[in-house]
Amino acid sequence: MSRKVGFDPVVDADTRVLILGSLPGDASLKAGQYYGHPQNTFWRLIGGVLGVELAALPYDDRLAALKAGGIGLWDVIASAERPGSLDAAIRLPEAADLRGLVATLPGLRAVAFNGGKAARLGRAMLADAGPDLLDLPSSSPAHARPLAEKAAAWAALRPYLDGCDHVSREKM
């Protein structure tokens, strides 16, 4: 079985919230995009946090909107063996250098974990690293939960983005 390798982090010096998934699934890897599965609700959820409709935008524009809103993306696993896309199938994971990345983000206020696997692994790696750690319900279509319920939990990110001029206050 070949190893699946994640993407580079999407961050800049203005990143205030870093959202960490586990490892991109097959649809995302094939598309070369974070949260590339058409049924993954990530772009709708984070668009709701920012007050911007992201799902319909071209991928590069979505990433630019995240950065403008103070949000970064990465994964807790750099590479792993995994048949299919389910987190439960991940074997022999190689951890991403989360502490190294966090140390390069001077404005970071919070790290949010997109799903249980990311939270379990990421919390162990970032214990006492400094920023607040938040567990969010997974945006994956495999995590059956009403979108409104997920959106309410994801709204916890908004206070960490206060002071970002480009974050819409209409949705708050």
Side-chain angles (χ1 to χ4, degrees):
M1 178 182 306
S2 64
R3 289 188 74 78
K4 295 180 180 176
V5 178
F7 304 127
D8 290 335
V10 175
V11 296
D12 63 22
D14 296 324
T15 298
R16 292 180 184 214
V17 172
L18 177 62
I19 300 173
L20 299 172
S22 56
L23 180 70
D26 288 346
S28 294
L29 291 170
K30 184 177 179 182
Q33 300 179 359
Y34 278 101
Y35 305 103
H37 191 290
Q39 293 176 335
N40 191 300
T41 58
F42 174 81
W43 295 107
R44 290 174 63 195
L45 290 167
I46 201 62
V49 170
L50 292 173
V52 178
E53 175 54 50
L54 295 177
L57 294 177
Y59 182 67
D60 288 341
D61 292 347
R62 285 185 247 159
L63 295 182
L66 288 185
K67 284 184 175 181
I71 297 173
L73 294 177
W74 206 23
D75 291 301
V76 298
I77 298 171
S79 70
E81 292 182 5
R82 178 175 62 187
S85 297
L86 295 177
D87 282 353
I90 292 173
R91 301 289 178 260
L92 304 173
E94 175 193 336
D97 182 12
L98 299 181
R99 282 190 170 280
L101 180 65
V102 166
T104 69
L105 302 173
L108 189 66
R109 295 177 176 179
V111 174
F113 302 106
N114 184 357
K117 181 82 161 192
R120 282 187 297 281
L121 297 174
R123 279 185 170 279
M125 290 186 252
L126 292 174
D128 72 12
D132 290 350
L133 304 178
L134 306 169
D135 297 355
L136 301 174
S138 176
S139 64
S140 168
H143 183 72
R145 198 166 166 184
L147 182 62
E149 188 178 317
K150 289 182 183 185
W154 281 63
L157 299 177
R158 287 190 188 122
Y160 294 98
L161 300 171
D162 283 348
C164 288
D165 295 336
H166 19 274
V167 176
S168 171
R169 299 297 172 225
E170 298 161 10
K171 297 278 183 174
M172 292 184 75

